[in-house]
Amino acid sequence: MMAVLPSLALALLYLLRAGAEVPVQPGFNAEKFAGTWYVTAAVSNCSVFLKIKDGMKSSIATISFTPEGDLAMQLVWPLLDKCQKFELLLQQSGQAGHYMAAQEKRDLRVMETDYSRYAIVHQLQQREQETSTALQLLTREQDVSPQLLQKFKELIPTVGLTEDMLAILPKSDQCTEAIS
Ligand SMILES: *[C@@H]1O[C@H](CO)[C@@H](O)[C@H](O)[C@H]1NC(C)=O
């Protein structure tokens, strides 16, 4: 434990610095952001994502907030013929709309959202020596408009990524029953 903690702190510091330029939705309102979202597009330079992105389908993210203001996310993902569930808990960072998970070495910022139609989320994740950057387009409806996709694509170069890393995730009804 003693040896692990300083390296975690270093990783977090690194993530904080790497994301320092990323804008966050001004006046972020957690209550309005909570609820169910569809992950309809994603772009990332994570090597695992790049390998599987063309076979990925839209996942469902259910977001809630603890009384302390931390963000809890449940992700349900159609993978092969199963629904995979992931749960994440991210601590609030002191800036509204910015969350961090020390154990998972993950940094999440809500770059922009209108709460009722879409949100664009920026994530940094450190795994072994690799720090990957990701942007996700979350929509309240499973269908995404060409205008929203266009807006999303325009943000890709601003976070240092390229369009060949983009996956527009086809919709799937496979897991709509699995969300609780
Ligand atoms: C992902 O992109 C970011 C921003 O350009 C860069 O800092 C990072 O090193 C890249 N990571 C990988 C695994 O390519």
Side-chain angles (χ1 to χ4, degrees):
M1 218 38 205
M2 295 305 276
V4 169
L5 282 175
S7 74
L8 267 181
L10 272 180
L12 278 180
L13 268 179
Y14 179 80
L15 287 180
L16 261 177
R17 282 190 35 203
E21 321 277 274
V22 178
V24 173
Q25 172 64 43
F28 178 76
N29 182 324
E31 207 176 310
K32 284 162 74 181
F33 185 68
T36 301
W37 293 97
Y38 293 97
V39 183
T40 43
V43 57
S44 172
N45 62 2
C46 165
S47 54
V48 178
F49 172 83
L50 292 172
K51 268 185 220 139
I52 62 168
K53 75 180 178 69
D54 294 326
M56 281 170 70
K57 295 196 184 120
S58 174
S59 56
I60 303 167
T62 307
I63 291 171
S64 58
F65 292 88
T66 67
E68 294 74 37
D70 297 342
L71 182 154
M73 181 175 350
Q74 187 196 60
L75 264 183
V76 181
W77 207 314
L79 200 68
L80 305 175
D81 49 3
K82 290 217 217 87
C83 292
Q84 293 289 338
K85 270 194 192 184
F86 298 92
E87 293 196 6
L88 280 174
L89 185 69
L90 295 121
Q91 280 86 47
Q92 62 168 340
S93 72
Q95 178 189 22
H98 179 197
Y99 300 88
M100 305 188 86
Q103 285 302 331
E104 283 136 24
K105 299 181 198 162
R106 193 187 280 265
D107 175 292
L108 182 155
R109 287 162 217 244
V110 182
M111 282 179 80
E112 57 174 276
T113 182
D114 67 354
Y115 306 102
S116 60
R117 278 191 319 139
Y118 80 100
I120 294 168
V121 169
H122 178 274
Q123 290 200 55
L124 290 170
Q125 196 180 6
Q126 196 177 31
R127 204 182 278 127
E128 286 150 26
Q129 295 312 310
E130 185 187 282
T131 302
S132 54
T133 302
L135 275 189
Q136 288 166 332
L137 175 64
L138 310 186
T139 55
R140 291 290 192 189
E141 304 278 335
Q142 231 180 345
D143 291 302
V144 54
S145 71
Q147 289 84 347
L148 265 183
L149 265 183
Q150 189 53 36
K151 186 185 186 59
F152 185 67
K153 284 185 184 166
E154 281 164 15
L155 283 174
I156 295 174
T158 72
V159 298
L161 299 178
T162 53
E163 231 177 87
D164 57 311
M165 301 166 178
L166 171 69
I168 295 166
L169 306 170
K171 62 176 177 175
S172 157
D173 288 330
Q174 197 178 313
C175 299
T176 39
E177 246 99 275
I179 52 171
S180 53

